Amino acid sequence: MKGKPMRLRLAPVDEGNRAQAEALRVAQGQEGFIETVADCLAEADELPCWRPAGIYDGEKLVGFAMYCQWNEDPDERVWLDRFLISHECQGRGYGHAALALLLDRLEEEYGPRDVYLSVIPGNGAAQRLYREFGFRYNGELDIHGERVMVRERPRLEDRA
């Protein structure tokens, strides 16, 4: 992988790539930090606001994400609810590059909005990555007791 440029792209998970996405696994010891892709896709089947996406480097599936504008939330928050890089692709820069791509996608789809996510305590690698992108804890817990982080969109007064 070293020396070869990444050609990252996002593609919806559908019947054509669902089994491949469901086969993705995180590294040993990370299993408790995120639901399986199969669980995520079952949730997306039930709630149409979810957008499951495969993260590809060219034709190789390297990760998975799921996001939405949560319309059951009175503020209609944009959530990056699931994000993982497959165990064999970790440590190669995919997490950083894919998160940048995902944040661009969220802005394309929903406009310049605050972006929310939640983190399980003990997931230090994810916390560090999210902080690099400007996410900060906001003092909230989600419905599963995970700590909520938010990346606030730049305010007009911040740009002046």
Side-chain angles (χ1 to χ4, degrees), residues 1-5:
M1 176 53 63
K2 288 188 182 216
K4 181 181 173 193

Side-chain angles (χ1 to χ4, degrees), residues 67-132:
Y67 59 90
C68 78
Q69 181 173 342
W70 189 245
N71 53 15
E72 293 184 18
D73 180 328
D75 297 325
E76 293 191 347
R77 293 176 171 180
V78 172
W79 283 86
L80 175 54
D81 198 63
R82 313 285 164 65
F83 176 54
L84 70 87
I85 300 299
S86 184
H87 67 93
E88 72 271 3
C89 296
Q90 291 180 9
R92 299 179 183 181
Y94 283 116
H96 196 273
L99 184 54
L101 183 65
L102 281 161
L103 292 172
D104 287 346
R105 168 67 61 88
L106 293 174
E107 187 163 339
E108 284 174 20
E109 286 193 31
Y110 304 113
R113 304 281 305 270
D114 294 350
V115 176
Y116 293 82
L117 54 81
S118 60
V119 181
I120 289 180
N123 192 351
Q127 292 170 34
R128 284 187 296 281
L129 176 63
Y130 297 142
R131 283 188 181 120
E132 285 182 38

Side-chain angles (χ1 to χ4, degrees), residues 18 22 36-47 66:
R18 186 177 184 123
E22 288 178 345
T36 66
V37 174
D39 289 342
C40 296
L41 294 174
E43 187 175 343
D45 290 341
E46 304 259 331
L47 297 168
M66 194 164 83

Side-chain angles (χ1 to χ4, degrees), residues 22-53:
E22 288 178 345
L24 291 171
R25 299 289 179 260
V26 294
Q28 188 172 6
Q30 296 175 335
E31 300 90 343
F33 293 149
I34 189 168
E35 294 86 347
T36 66
V37 174
D39 289 342
C40 296
L41 294 174
E43 187 175 343
D45 290 341
E46 304 259 331
L47 297 168
C49 75
W50 290 119
R51 302 226 192 308

